[in-house]
């Protein structure tokens, strides 16, 4: 199955409707560019959202690629400048957090902050029903596998091609159209379509454990990665049942939706 067929099949599984307005989180990389390109090509109503992390030349190149892509696709782009909105770049915010919470990985912190910003901003944009991200088969298989090794399979409850079971007025459901599509295939596809993309790696992606897992996973075939996710699909209903029993609450500090009394964002950083 080629990339387009796989993504079409995933969208069918998600049950995405053409009249739903979708906010695509576009990072400047190949994955989210491919998501935006395909959704637009197939006539979905999309707008772009980019967080400028303020990480020097890398962020500048990402921003330029995102602007070019949105212009080519003729879609509206919403920008969130982290320096302006939160006072400093992701590097400083993260370093400050790591002074207190030693051992927390760069991507873990960055991921929580980006997710929180995305959910809040999506709510403020009129008519947005879903957020689409560029997570691919390799990302998902790595995360699932890491959760197994950590003995914390329940952490995979928020995964899946869509967050279908979470219904809340403050939470915008997320979808992952590339959930079953391998990274290599996406790279080739984005090159074939000549999408404006930054192919270099994020300079802050220094998570030695994930890198080890990634190196191991790179020795696997696409079929084997698909099999890992097949196990995930089989187990998913049970994992989700466990989690949904915990229910969605509102953070006692910021009022945002959360699984715990204090949301992950507030556990890391207080924003007004
Ligand atoms: S690779 Fe890690 S540090 Fe870089 S933008 Fe992504 S989550 Fe943030
Ligand atoms: Zn909070």
């Amino acid at each position: 199955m080629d990339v387009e067929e796989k993504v079409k099949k995933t969208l069918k599984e998600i049950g995405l409707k053409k009249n739903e307005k979708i906010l695509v989180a576009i990072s400047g990389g190949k994955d989210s560019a491919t998501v935006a390109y395909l959704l637009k090509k197939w006539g979905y109503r999309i707008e772009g959202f980019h967080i400028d992390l303020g990480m020097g030349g890398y962020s500048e190149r990402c921003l330029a690629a995102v602007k070019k892509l949105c212009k080519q696709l003729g879609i509206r782009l919403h920008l969130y400048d982290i320096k302006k909105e939160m006072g400093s770049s992701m590097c400083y915010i993260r370093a400050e957090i790591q002074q207190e919470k030693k051992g927390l990985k760069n991507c873990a912190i960055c991921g929580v902050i980006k997710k929180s910003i995305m959910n809040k901003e999506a709510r403020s944009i009129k008519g947005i029903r879903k957020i689409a991200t560029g997570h691919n088969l390799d990302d998902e298989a790595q995360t699932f596998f890491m959760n197994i090794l950590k003995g914390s399979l329940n952490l995979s409850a928020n995964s899946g091609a869509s967050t279908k079971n979470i219904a809340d007025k403050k939470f915008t459901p997320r979808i992952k159209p590339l959930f079953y599509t391998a990274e290599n295939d996406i790279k080739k596809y984005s090159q074939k379509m000549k999408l404006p993309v930054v192919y270099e790696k994020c300079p802050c992606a220094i998570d030695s454990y994930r890198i080890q897992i990634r190196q191991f996973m790179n020795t696997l075939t696409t079929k084997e990665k698909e099999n890992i996710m097949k196990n995930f699909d089989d187990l998913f209903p049970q994992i989700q049942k466990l989690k949904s029993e915990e229910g969605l609450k509102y953070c006692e500090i910021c009022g945002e939706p959360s699984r715990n009394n204090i949301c992950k964002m507030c556990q890391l950083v207080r924003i007004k």
Side-chain angles (χ1 to χ4, degrees):
M1 228 190 276
D2 69 12
V3 167
E4 294 200 2
E5 284 170 18
K6 265 194 186 155
V7 179
K8 257 190 195 156
K9 198 167 166 246
T10 311
L11 293 180
K12 205 170 162 207
E13 180 192 309
I14 293 169
L16 196 63
K17 297 185 188 73
K18 289 269 162 83
N19 60 355
E20 291 181 300
K21 207 202 259 182
I22 307 151
L23 191 65
V24 184
I26 311 177
S27 66
K30 62 186 183 323
D31 305 298
S32 50
T34 300
V35 169
Y37 173 78
L38 286 175
L39 290 178
K40 179 69 185 174
K41 178 178 169 178
W42 293 329
Y44 288 95
R45 294 175 65 203
I46 64 165
E47 292 186 1
F49 178 65
H50 176 73
I51 305 176
D52 181 352
L53 299 171
M55 300 196 298
Y58 173 74
S59 289
E60 285 166 19
R61 289 188 286 283
C62 287
L63 178 60
V66 171
K67 283 185 176 168
K68 200 170 167 192
L69 178 76
C70 291
K71 202 169 169 208
Q72 278 180 11
L73 299 180
I75 61 169
R76 192 169 168 198
L77 172 63
H78 302 269
L79 280 174
Y80 184 98
D81 184 331
I82 208 162
K83 274 194 195 163
K84 262 194 219 149
E85 305 289 340
M86 293 177 71
S88 30
S89 74
M90 179 59 85
C91 307
Y92 283 101
I93 298 172
R94 206 186 49 224
E96 223 174 303
I97 293 169
Q98 281 166 332
Q99 278 189 350
E100 269 185 49
K101 299 179 195 282
K102 296 197 180 5
L104 261 189
K105 309 284 188 217
N106 289 356
C107 292
I109 297 172
C110 184
V112 166
I113 295 176
K114 286 194 299 187
K115 225 186 237 182
S116 166
I117 293 171
M118 227 156 49
N119 190 52
K120 261 192 173 173
E121 294 301 306
R123 246 178 18 225
S124 71
I125 302 170
K126 202 167 171 262
I128 295 295
R129 291 281 168 269
K130 297 236 162 42
I131 298 171
T133 64
H135 294 85
N136 62 42
L137 174 69
D138 292 62
D139 300 325
E140 296 301 316
Q142 277 164 29
T143 306
F144 181 55
F145 198 61
M146 278 167 68
N147 288 340
I148 292 177
L149 297 181
K150 279 193 246 167
S152 313
L153 202 53
N154 62 333
L155 292 177
S156 284
N158 298 329
S159 192
S162 67
T163 49
K164 40 189 167 293
N165 287 347
I166 305 175
D168 185 274
K169 61 183 186 312
K170 278 190 159 187
F171 181 81
T172 309
R174 286 188 296 267
I175 59 165
K176 297 173 185 171
L178 305 179
F179 193 78
Y180 298 107
T181 311
E183 182 165 23
N184 251 335
D185 295 339
I186 299 164
K187 188 173 178 192
K188 283 186 212 144
Y189 183 84
S190 65
Q191 285 167 334
K192 193 172 142 203
M193 295 302 151
K194 298 190 171 55
L195 300 180
V197 159
V198 175
Y199 286 101
E200 68 193 275
K201 261 187 68 189
C202 167
C204 299
I206 316 159
D207 176 346
S208 57
Y209 189 52
R210 188 176 270 272
I211 289 171
Q212 274 177 29
I213 299 289
R214 175 179 274 262
Q215 281 167 348
F216 162 68
M217 302 285 270
N218 284 345
T219 65
L220 304 180
T221 61
T222 298
K223 183 74 203 146
E224 285 167 328
K225 288 175 201 164
E226 283 170 354
N227 284 343
I228 292 179
M229 293 322 286
K230 191 181 171 304
N231 283 305
F232 168 79
D233 281 343
D234 292 346
L235 286 169
F236 190 60
Q238 282 143 288
I239 307 171
Q240 263 227 328
K241 197 165 169 267
L242 272 178
K243 267 280 179 180
S244 61
E245 277 159 12
E246 290 170 19
L248 200 66
K249 311 170 184 171
Y250 295 106
C251 171
E252 287 171 6
I253 297 173
C254 69
E256 288 295 304
S258 167
R259 294 271 181 201
N260 304 303
N261 294 341
I262 310 290
C263 76
K264 281 189 187 166
M265 178 72 164
C266 286
Q267 284 174 27
L268 288 180
V269 55
R270 295 266 191 108
I271 48 170
K272 284 151 226 145

